[in-house]
Amino acid sequence: MVKVYLPALGENITKATVSYWYFGDGAAVIEGNDLVEIVTDKATFNVPSPCSGVLVEIMAHEGDVCEVGDVLAVIEKEGGDDAESEEE
Amino acid sequence: MFECRLLDLGTIDYLKAFLVQKDVVAKVIAGQAPDTLITCEHPHVITLSRRSKIENLLVSQGELKKWGVGIFCANRGGDVTYHGPGQIVLYPIFDLKHDKKDLHLYLRKLEQAVIDTLRENFGLNAYRKNGLTGVWVGPYKVASIGIGVKNWVSYHGLSLNVCADKRYFSFIKSCGLDVKMASINDFFDDNVSVKTVRDLLVESMGKIFSFTSLENRVL
């Protein structure tokens, strides 16, 4: 399983709001493609999928305010990698 | 210093300009195009973001149609915004990995480019407001900003009112705020052209972002 984190967005930015999921639970996702849009102030930021696989669980829903480093979703990596891994 | 291509699209529909942005963003991400500063004007259009509150649109869609105003939902930050003739629009497609990867710093730099343009060339006491994004002169907001970032490449950008028709701003609650909008020409007897402000703003952007410009390179 690969966790998707809210990435660092700048020196004084500690929080951001989840504004739009491009996919729902159970969807196939591709590494590097837009996964979720987050917003802070007047800026939107697209978080890409860290790997190809299946979006197993969305942890932060649209409208939720998250802190940098929070887990946004969990992806089951393509190829059945059993090892727990964490990618940002 | 980095080399930046300038791309002036003239007066262009919002959707067409958005498609140009999308194409340039993909090419910059792929390393197939240099950072690009798009400039243009739009025919009357109101744009909403995903987070826009519909109550910030103050008239019916029928009324907007009567006035020839289009509506478009954009993937940028911010709330409802109006674009139209007499307003210069900048869409910087910049790879922020070359700078600091900092969304707020980038917003502040866009504001600073507008502030410097207005202070240094027109003697206007332009300023930003704490906690808000945009540029004000006196009680009036003159520039609005809303951006998107993909793979740390920016798109969307800023609009600065030069000689916009104020009636169109009354159709919306701009940026979701109780704010009065104004244009540069509201502060002067002489008319300043959009082209003049465009050139001055590009010059300020060059100083703030440290780029040398390559005028109108072909896509």
Side-chain angles (χ1 to χ4, degrees):
Chain A
M1 295 291 178
V2 175
K3 291 174 181 171
V4 182
Y5 295 94
L6 182 66
L9 302 168
E11 200 173 330
N12 296 313
I13 305 174
T14 56
K15 292 176 181 177
T17 304
V18 175
S19 64
Y20 184 73
W21 280 98
Y22 291 96
F23 302 96
D25 284 343
V29 295
I30 296 171
E31 182 177 355
N33 281 10
D34 292 338
L35 186 63
V36 55
E37 180 190 89
I38 55 178
V39 62
T40 168
D41 199 349
K42 294 293 184 79
T44 63
F45 185 91
N46 284 313
V47 179
S49 179
C51 62
S52 296
V54 174
L55 182 57
V56 178
E57 188 179 2
I58 289 174
M59 313 284 282
H61 300 276
E62 291 172 9
D64 287 356
V65 178
C66 298
E67 295 197 1
V68 171
D70 281 355
V71 178
L72 302 177
V74 177
I75 295 172
E76 186 178 349
K77 201 171 180 177
E78 195 177 62
D81 184 3
D82 291 332
E84 281 276 325
S85 63
E86 294 188 346
E87 296 183 21
E88 273 187 85
Chain B
M1 297 289 272
F2 68 94
E3 285 194 336
C4 174
R5 173 182 56 173
L6 298 185
L7 197 58
D8 184 14
L9 301 179
T11 298
I12 183 171
D13 281 340
Y14 188 85
L15 178 58
K16 283 183 184 168
F18 176 70
L19 294 175
V20 172
Q21 282 194 74
K22 204 173 163 187
D23 181 59
V24 175
V25 167
K27 285 178 175 159
V28 170
I29 288 172
Q32 296 167 352
D35 288 13
T36 302
L37 179 55
I38 297 171
T39 61
C40 63
E41 275 184 86
H42 293 306
H44 302 293
V45 65
I46 283 170
T47 68
L48 307 161
S49 70
R50 293 194 210 280
R51 292 206 308 169
S52 289
K53 297 185 179 83
I54 200 68
E55 58 263 33
N56 291 333
L57 193 57
L58 304 177
V59 295
S60 68
Q61 292 201 24
E63 187 72 8
L64 291 177
K65 198 174 175 185
K66 206 168 80 181
W67 283 76
V69 182
I71 303 184
F72 193 86
C73 189
N75 55 346
R76 57 161 174 75
D79 205 302
V80 60
T81 300
Y82 161 79
H83 296 300
Q87 183 190 65
I88 185 70
V89 177
L90 261 59
Y91 296 130
I93 315 295
F94 289 174
D95 189 341
L96 302 180
K97 292 192 289 294
H98 298 158
D99 199 1
K100 287 181 180 171
K101 294 198 292 187
D102 190 321
L103 299 181
H104 289 183
L105 178 66
Y106 177 64
L107 291 170
R108 302 291 86 78
K109 282 185 165 185
L110 292 178
E111 287 170 346
Q112 196 60 47
V114 175
I115 289 169
D116 289 351
T117 300
L118 298 180
R119 282 176 176 255
E120 291 169 13
N121 300 287
F122 301 103
L124 292 172
N125 187 24
Y127 65 97
R128 61 169 67 82
K129 286 190 176 185
N130 276 343
L132 297 174
T133 301
V135 177
W136 279 257
V137 174
Y140 303 103
K141 191 176 182 188
V142 293
S144 299
I145 296 173
I147 64 157
V149 174
K150 180 182 169 74
N151 288 33
W152 284 105
V153 172
S154 65
Y155 52 97
H156 293 297
L158 70 87
S159 58
L160 171 60
N161 304 324
V162 180
C163 50
D165 186 336
K166 274 201 199 69
R167 293 175 298 173
Y168 289 84
F169 288 109
S170 68
F171 298 154
I172 58 169
K173 193 172 178 182
S174 262
C175 302
L177 300 170
D178 285 317
V179 62
K180 284 182 180 170
M181 303 296 288
S183 294
I184 294 174
N185 278 349
D186 294 334
F187 304 99
F188 298 102
D189 293 331
D190 295 334
N191 283 340
V192 183
S193 73
V194 173
K195 167 79 170 63
T196 300
V197 176
R198 179 254 183 197
D199 292 345
L200 294 169
L201 192 50
V202 168
E203 198 181 313
S204 284
M205 287 285 288
K207 287 179 190 165
I208 296 288
F209 287 94
S210 301
F211 65 72
T212 51
S213 54
L214 306 167
E215 189 80 31
N216 293 332
R217 282 284 185 90
V218 179
L219 276 174

